[in-house]
Amino acid sequence: MPPPSSSQQKPTDPSTAASAPSRPTWLRWLIRFVLWTTGLAVAGVLGLLLTIAVALSVAYPNLPDISDLADYRPKLPLRVYSSEGALLGEFGEERRNLTPIQEIPKVMKDAVLAIEDSRFFQHGGVDYKGVIRAALANLGRVKSQGASTITMQVARNVYLSSEKTFTRKIYEILLTFKLEHMLTKDQILEIYMNQIYLGNRAYGFSAAAEAYFGKPLKSISIAEAAMLAGLPKAPSAYNPISNPKRARSRQLYIIERMEENGFITAQEAIAAKKEDLKIRSGPDATRIHAEYVAEMARQLIFTQYGNEAYTRGLNVYTTLNAGEQEAAYTALRRGIMDYERRQQYRGPEKFVALPTAAQEVEDAVDDALANHPDNGDVLAAVVLEAGPRKIVAARANGDNLEITGDGLKPAQSGLSDKAPPNIKIRRGAVIRVVKTPKGAWEITQLPEVEGAFVALDPRNGSIRALVGGFDFDKNKFNHAAQAWRQPGSSFKPFIYSAALEKGFTPATVINDAPLFFDAGTTGGQPWEPKNYDGKYDGPMTMRTGLAKSKNMISIRILQAVGPKTAQEWVSRFGFDAEKHPAYLTMALGAGSVTPLQMASAYSVFANGGYRVNPWLIAKVTDHKGRVISEVTPPAVSELPRAIDARNAFVMNSLLQEVTRSGTAARAQGTLKRPDIGGKTGTTNDSVDAWFAGYQSTIAAVTWIGYDTPRNLGSRETGGGLSLPVWISFMERALKGVPVSEPVVPPGVVNVGGEWFYEEYARNAGIASVGLEEQQRTSGGPDVAPHAQPPTEERNRILDLFRN
């Protein structure tokens, strides 16, 4: 039967007819949505890729040229040594010796790869798996993993700065790709293992093996390699010398990573963990702290050789004595910290939020102290517990310290319940601690005050020791050579020296009585100088006036000599005349000097009257030890004469009185030798504290003050602040040095136990100054040019005026 025609077909069900078109509409909507979404995503990706491409096209041409790395050869640095050959500093583009990759043992490479970049030979410079792990770690999903590959570290360490910015990260990735394209994996690894800093002045694993184990890199064991491989992350925190506990923990972790990566067997891992490592003391344990001297030498050599100074392998031998330099460094830091102990506590350096989990606390402490490194023996720590009677603080090496009793006293204001938030010591506070002589811990703070110390050999001017500040890393300004400060009373001896040439003698009687100068006399403000203690003792000899550092005595002497004459005289000692205006204030040291200048000037008294110019560099050799230049120090007699020998002799006698019975008597009490002399100095309002002194073989000066001049404290003086530093240094410098016997020069005689110029011993010297003066407001003092009285008569005169 034939099929029915279309006209005869059965009508469609209305329900079916209604539902049939709904499915295509839904599908069409879904397709459109998917297409639009996909299109937008593709457009976004293409836009992002286009943006990145444009950024890369702009940035790539600006990348540094790395062609030199294809033939990596470290340039030889400039090295600075003491006179005995102790290394003081290194300067150069690179400070390492090249160890070819073929000579680096497999165990060392395996240890580094295990901890730093286990997929180094698989990825193309950027480890995308590592990036994902690091991202998840930041979200707290997995254990923290580093995403920085060895190639990225080479890019960053060799060419880029350490700033953490998005732009620098882009450059780092681009440079990584460039390195991977131009160099082989072995070349990249060779560069990394030679240039990475590993602490203790060691750059590269070859230097580190010598520094920490005292052996060549080729001889290290698995355990030693693992210890060294832990250093790149944090050379200070994982230093096996200073932080053995932390270094050991990281070493064990690296051994486990080596086993996990198949570099060593389980048995080798067990043996490595049990190995007892012999860590040597390392260079830092015997480091000579002479950063300011090394920098002075660098500047001098750079002036002569330019940029070649950093690449030729020059060896610079200074005049510095290593033992005396360490004594100077230790003495100055101790003096400054003793002063700091008397100051108000200024509060913690920083506050950090500490988590509760032990491992997280350890990481937080590491992060906090990375930006607050130890400063010599002034150590940084993070407070874990704080109370009025006990503080527990964590160190970077993982040790916990307990501070109790007297150790809390310097920071009492920070432990009070009423302490303001910025002063309050609480959990998370970054503080400073020091170990006391008794082995206990004490809270302290980094000092704001600065200081300087310099010692010369007065026989030729060579610098024996120089410390330009409390800490070079904290403040690179060289206070010994660059700080122009008022010398205060330490300048008085040069005025006294001028007076000797005008008829004054140590026995000249001078009235210690008040003085007043009105505006008409001064040409400015009225001036009423005072003695430091505010007391006036009446007539006294010039010897006593200097020993007691009486200001009125010095002013009357300068009045008699004449400010202009004195200004010309002090220039003989190397002072700049224009920095010492010809006014009466010169008598109180109101001019400007540097500590180095003062040491040079006092050398004139120490060596019998000869002018010395300080010098530092004794010899320069090339990298093979061949002498390029050498200085032969002049004999004393070859130096230009500054003052007559008899002037130096009498001044030496006066300055020895200062250390015997005057403001510096503490020096004689400690050193117990008659051949030392010197002078204390404290400027107006106790802004600068000085002591300048000498023995015939060494002249040394100490200065302490604030960079921005301010009061050191009402009771702080040169005798209390700077003299102890000088004494401490001299105990080391004069050990074993025979007591020098004075040689009386021609033209000097002794009458009644006092020294005189021969022509002033009988009838031509100045007998007295100011004894008839009745509070004059202008003009000079009464000067009596009579025959010099013998001792008995001089005493009778003094008795008359006392009565």
Side-chain angles (χ1 to χ4, degrees):
M1 190 173 177
S5 65
S6 59
S7 60
Q8 296 175 325
Q9 288 181 1
K10 201 172 178 180
T12 305
D13 189 333
S15 63
T16 306
S19 61
S22 66
R23 187 184 302 271
T25 302
W26 179 82
L27 284 172
R28 284 196 298 273
W29 179 87
L30 180 61
I31 290 169
R32 289 194 192 101
F33 176 78
V34 171
L35 289 174
W36 273 101
T37 304
T38 304
L40 288 173
V42 171
V45 170
L46 289 174
L48 179 62
L49 291 175
L50 181 62
T51 302
I52 293 174
V54 171
L56 295 183
S57 66
V58 172
Y60 198 82
N62 294 323
L63 293 177
D65 181 16
I66 65 171
S67 57
D68 287 346
L69 285 185
D71 185 28
Y72 178 68
R73 291 292 183 273
K75 297 179 176 67
L76 298 174
L78 168 69
R79 290 186 171 93
V80 182
Y81 298 91
S82 71
S83 60
E84 306 91 341
L87 183 63
L88 306 180
E90 290 181 289
F91 303 93
E93 296 173 18
E94 300 165 357
R95 309 174 207 174
R96 52 200 127 264
N97 296 316
L98 176 64
T99 304
I101 192 68
Q102 297 84 359
E103 296 178 17
I104 298 175
K106 183 177 183 299
V107 65
M108 188 70 254
K109 290 185 282 189
D110 289 344
V112 169
L113 294 175
I115 190 61
E116 293 292 333
D117 191 355
S118 60
R119 300 185 64 253
F120 174 70
F121 287 100
Q122 281 77 52
H123 62 66
V126 176
D127 187 358
Y128 299 103
K129 290 183 179 180
V131 172
I132 294 172
R133 281 199 308 269
L136 292 174
N138 289 335
L139 296 173
R141 302 292 178 84
V142 300
K143 186 178 179 181
S144 177
Q145 296 282 345
S148 185
T149 66
I150 283 177
T151 312
M152 292 170 74
Q153 290 184 58
V154 170
R156 179 168 61 247
N157 294 335
V158 176
Y159 288 108
L160 302 175
S161 68
S162 59
E163 61 176 341
K164 295 181 179 180
T165 63
F166 180 74
T167 302
R168 191 202 60 77
K169 196 66 179 176
I170 295 262
Y171 272 92
E172 181 183 311
I173 293 173
L174 288 176
L175 192 54
T176 295
F177 290 140
K178 191 172 183 178
L179 287 169
E180 288 277 346
H181 175 69
M182 294 190 65
L183 304 178
T184 67
K185 286 288 187 178
D186 277 349
Q187 285 177 311
I188 294 171
L189 188 60
E190 178 181 276
I191 295 167
Y192 176 82
M193 299 195 75
N194 277 282
Q195 63 87 35
I196 194 74
Y197 178 63
L198 300 170
N200 262 42
R201 296 185 179 181
Y203 287 80
F205 287 94
S206 179
E210 291 285 353
Y212 293 107
F213 302 119
K215 60 169 63 175
L217 186 62
K218 63 182 180 181
S219 303
I220 62 169
S221 64
I222 293 173
E224 290 167 337
M227 183 70 79
L228 294 180
L231 291 166
K233 180 182 179 182
S236 176
Y238 299 114
N239 186 315
I241 295 172
S242 57
N243 296 325
K245 182 178 177 182
R246 185 70 56 81
R248 171 64 173 164
S249 174
R250 185 156 176 81
Q251 178 214 26
L252 295 176
Y253 174 64
I254 292 173
I255 292 173
E256 291 171 0
R257 293 278 298 162
M258 292 176 74
E259 182 184 353
E260 290 172 11
N261 283 276
F263 293 138
I264 59 175
T265 66
Q267 291 75 19
E268 287 175 322
I270 293 172
K273 290 179 180 180
K274 292 180 179 180
E275 184 177 335
D276 183 21
L277 300 187
K278 299 294 188 294
I279 307 293
R280 66 181 300 185
S281 59
D284 277 353
T286 57
R287 179 184 176 188
I288 306 299
H289 290 279
E291 296 85 353
Y292 291 97
V293 173
E295 174 60 17
M296 289 173 69
R298 182 198 69 79
Q299 292 179 18
L300 291 169
I301 295 298
F302 179 79
T303 300
Q304 185 172 358
Y305 294 97
N307 288 326
E308 284 191 1
Y310 307 133
T311 60
R312 288 181 56 179
L314 298 178
N315 299 305
V316 180
Y317 293 88
T318 67
T319 59
L320 217 68
N321 179 284
E324 291 174 8
Q325 177 65 24
E326 275 303 290
Y329 172 83
T330 302
L332 182 63
R333 282 181 66 93
R334 185 187 300 123
I336 289 176
M337 290 308 297
D338 285 345
Y339 169 79
E340 193 60 45
R341 197 172 285 111
R342 301 192 289 272
Q343 307 311 302
Q344 183 74 20
Y345 186 62
R346 295 184 292 274
E349 295 179 16
K350 186 180 179 180
F351 296 94
V352 296
L354 292 181
T356 54
Q359 182 57 49
E360 293 178 358
V361 168
E362 191 173 284
D363 292 340
V365 168
D366 281 349
D367 291 341
L369 297 184
N371 296 320
H372 297 267
D374 293 342
N375 190 300
D377 55 355
V378 183
L379 310 181
V382 177
V383 174
L384 302 179
E385 303 172 24
R389 296 183 179 179
K390 184 177 78 170
I391 284 178
V392 178
R395 290 272 296 122
N397 62 3
D399 290 344
N400 288 346
L401 315 177
E402 282 195 6
I403 310 166
T404 59
D406 291 342
L408 300 175
K409 287 184 178 179
Q412 279 299 316
S413 59
L415 295 171
S416 169
D417 291 336
K418 299 180 180 179
N422 63 318
I423 301 296
K424 182 73 173 176
I425 297 177
R426 57 184 182 272
R427 179 176 168 84
V430 178
I431 63 171
R432 295 282 169 173
V433 297
V434 293
K435 185 165 278 190
T436 66
K438 295 182 180 179
W441 291 103
E442 178 181 85
I443 293 180
T444 187
Q445 55 192 346
L446 284 176
E448 292 182 343
V449 75
E450 273 293 355
F453 185 93
V454 59
L456 305 180
D457 187 330
R459 297 164 295 187
N460 55 39
S462 60
I463 297 175
R464 299 256 296 264
L466 186 146
V467 186
F470 180 78
D471 180 72
F472 182 78
D473 292 330
K474 176 173 169 277
N475 187 346
K476 292 179 171 56
F477 182 73
N478 189 337
H479 299 83
Q482 297 174 298
W484 290 93
R485 308 293 294 223
Q486 290 188 341
S489 295
S490 63
F491 195 75
K492 289 176 180 176
F494 308 107
I495 305 300
Y496 278 57
S497 173
L500 293 179
E501 300 302 310
K502 293 296 182 180
F504 280 76
T505 75
T508 299
V509 177
I510 307 163
N511 194 10
D512 177 34
L515 285 166
F516 176 78
F517 302 90
D518 59 26
T521 303
T522 64
Q525 296 294 321
W527 183 41
E528 187 177 8
K530 299 181 183 301
N531 286 327
Y532 175 79
D533 57 7
K535 299 177 181 178
Y536 304 92
D537 295 337
M540 63 180 63
T541 62
M542 193 167 85
R543 176 179 290 275
T544 302
L546 184 61
K548 291 186 175 183
S549 197
K550 290 290 188 176
N551 290 341
M552 300 305 107
I553 300 295
S554 297
I555 293 172
R556 283 188 165 90
I557 289 174
L558 183 56
Q559 278 185 299
V561 170
K564 187 64 178 175
T565 300
Q567 183 190 44
E568 294 171 354
W569 185 261
V570 301
S571 66
R572 291 168 172 258
F573 295 86
F575 295 116
D576 303 325
E578 65 273 12
K579 292 188 180 294
H580 300 274
Y583 302 118
L584 291 179
T585 51
M586 191 195 323
L588 307 185
S592 297
V593 301
T594 68
L596 185 58
Q597 203 176 48
M598 286 290 278
S600 177
Y602 269 80
S603 293
V604 176
F605 297 138
N607 66 24
Y610 295 95
R611 168 88 172 269
V612 298
N613 287 316
W615 57 286
L616 178 63
I617 296 177
K619 183 173 66 174
V620 179
T621 70
D622 64 14
H623 67 284
K624 293 184 177 180
R626 294 174 296 206
V627 176
I628 296 175
S629 65
E630 190 168 10
V631 174
T632 301
V636 174
S637 59
E638 296 173 353
L639 296 170
R641 182 167 282 286
I643 59 176
D644 193 74
R646 60 183 188 167
N647 188 300
F649 178 85
V650 174
M651 284 306 305
N652 190 32
S653 173
L654 290 173
L655 289 168
Q656 286 177 356
E657 189 69 46
V658 177
T659 60
R660 183 163 49 246
S661 64
T663 56
R666 181 176 178 179
Q668 189 63 255
T670 303
L671 298 175
K672 301 186 187 314
R673 47 189 304 152
D675 60 342
I676 56 172
K679 184 70 186 73
T680 54
T682 309
T683 60
N684 195 33
D685 293 329
S686 297
V687 169
D688 299 274
W690 293 81
F691 185 76
Y694 60 89
Q695 190 263 355
S696 61
T697 63
I698 192 162
V701 172
T702 309
W703 166 83
I704 292 176
Y706 288 98
D707 277 339
T708 301
R710 72 175 199 248
N711 188 281
L712 287 163
S714 58
R715 297 183 179 181
E716 304 294 351
T717 66
L721 269 179
S722 295
L723 176 60
V725 175
W726 186 89
I727 292 173
S728 178
F729 170 80
M730 283 297 195
E731 283 185 300
R732 164 64 177 81
L734 295 179
K735 188 175 183 180
V737 176
V739 173
S740 59
E741 296 294 334
V743 177
V744 182
V748 176
V749 295
N750 191 289
V751 178
E754 188 57 275
W755 296 104
F756 300 92
Y757 284 8
E758 191 170 15
E759 64 268 30
Y760 298 145
R762 297 289 179 259
N763 54 13
I766 295 175
S768 62
V769 173
L771 299 187
E772 302 298 331
E773 191 179 43
Q774 296 297 321
Q775 194 68 19
R776 290 185 180 274
T777 59
S778 62
D782 294 324
V783 178
H786 301 302
Q788 188 64 50
T791 304
E792 297 80 6
E793 186 175 352
R794 185 173 69 255
N795 291 338
R796 182 175 60 79
I797 292 173
L798 293 177
D799 289 336
L800 285 173
F801 280 94
R802 287 196 184 99
N803 297 329

